[in-house]
Amino acid sequence: MTKTLSVLATLLFATAAHATPAPTPKHPSTPSVDPLAGLSMDQQMELCDHLETLKKQNKPLSPKMQQQLKACQAMTMDSMPETAPDATQDR
């Protein structure tokens, strides 16, 4: 009788362990790659001008070109000059 109980208990635990899915490892998110990396500032400016021209002409842009255009727009927004301090404006 004890052998039967031990066999049943073993089967129960073996099937329960087999039925639970293994936890999936979380993949670290890949860092976003700068679409303008590897280009000099002059090349970046030229590429941005070209992409803006294509956009104004309603030409289709590839996904990579769209990423580059977004990077150009972000770069332009970051480099916008801020207004002068109040002390300078009073002069």
Side-chain angles (χ1 to χ4, degrees), residues 38-50:
L39 300 175
S40 69
M41 186 57 78
D42 291 336
Q43 291 172 328
Q44 289 179 10
M45 291 173 54
E46 187 176 332
L47 177 64
C48 291
D49 288 340
H50 178 68

Side-chain angles (χ1 to χ4, degrees), residues 40-82:
S40 69
M41 186 57 78
D42 291 336
Q43 291 172 328
Q44 289 179 10
M45 291 173 54
E46 187 176 332
L47 177 64
C48 291
D49 288 340
H50 178 68
L51 293 174
E52 286 289 336
T53 303
L54 290 176
K55 183 180 174 188
K56 287 178 184 175
Q57 295 173 351
N58 294 326
K59 302 274 177 148
L61 298 176
S62 70
K64 181 178 180 180
M65 294 168 82
Q66 290 174 355
Q67 287 179 339
Q68 290 171 334
L69 182 61
K70 285 180 184 178
C72 290
Q73 291 169 342
M75 183 174 58
T76 334
M77 293 301 288
D78 290 341
S79 64
M80 293 291 286
E82 295 183 17

